[in-house]
Amino acid sequence: MKKLLVALIASQLLAACASAPQMTREERIEWYRANAGEPVRSFFYSGHLRGWTALDERSIALWTRSNEAYLLEFFPRCPDLAFASTITISHQIGRVNAGFDSVTVRRASGGIGGVRCRIETIRPIDTSVVKEPVRNLRDAELVERDPSVPDESR
């Protein structure tokens, strides 16, 4: 009986922790920005992306590994991020570069193409503070940047 009581109390404590109040969308964006470092020109990826999460129409958190993430910000906004089922990220020889590479938003409904959004800034996220459960991350793919596509002017 004593073991049952201890188990019941432990499960209630876990449930209380899990149901802590969530941040508003604005608070979450600011939390990510506050825990992101200075902008970097690019980042190297190891051939695999863990996933991403949309923060708003101008930014996403991209997880390259469990202990490595980047805040990608777009200019102008990147429509349909909230509705994307997956994204593709362009790169050149294993590097994703601010100002050159882009994120293409793919909706679950499919279709050819997708909205292409130029990456304006890349900021490393302090992953010792910011943790994103794997269940919250969406799929991402890397695609080699097409050198024949001219850079768009900002």
Side-chain angles (χ1 to χ4, degrees), residues 124-142:
I125 295 172
D126 181 353
T127 58
S128 67
V129 176
V130 178
K131 304 284 185 196
E132 192 70 44
V134 173
R135 70 179 178 274
N136 291 349
L137 299 178
R138 300 184 211 177
D139 290 333
E141 299 173 24
L142 291 156

Side-chain angles (χ1 to χ4, degrees), residues 54-96:
L55 300 174
D56 62 8
E57 288 188 331
R58 291 212 56 228
S59 55
I60 65 171
L62 178 70
W63 295 83
T64 54
R65 293 188 285 214
S66 62
N67 63 346
E68 184 178 81
Y70 297 92
L71 178 64
L72 305 182
E73 295 180 296
F74 309 104
F75 182 81
R77 67 186 184 85
C78 189
D80 292 341
L81 269 176
F83 307 107
S85 59
T86 188
I87 59 173
T88 57
I89 302 165
S90 67
H91 67 91
Q92 183 92 37
I93 313 170
R95 291 203 78 77
V96 176

Side-chain angles (χ1 to χ4, degrees), residues 2 20 28-29 34 37 52 54 69 89 91 105 116 147:
K2 189 175 183 179
R28 189 166 188 245
I29 294 164
W52 65 282
I89 302 165
H91 67 91
V105 176
R116 196 171 130 211

Side-chain angles (χ1 to χ4, degrees), residues 109-128:
S109 58
I112 297 174
V115 178
R116 196 171 130 211
C117 307
R118 180 69 51 105
I119 299 169
E120 181 181 41
T121 60
I122 299 169
R123 298 173 57 200
I125 295 172
D126 181 353
T127 58
S128 67

Side-chain angles (χ1 to χ4, degrees), residues 6-39:
V6 170
L8 180 62
I9 291 171
S11 68
Q12 287 179 342
L13 285 173
L14 285 173
C17 291
S19 62
Q22 297 291 320
M23 288 185 262
T24 66
R25 183 175 147 210
E26 291 77 19
E27 290 170 336
R28 189 166 188 245
I29 294 164
E30 287 308 311
W31 182 62
Y32 268 91
R33 287 185 179 137
N35 289 291
E38 291 299 312

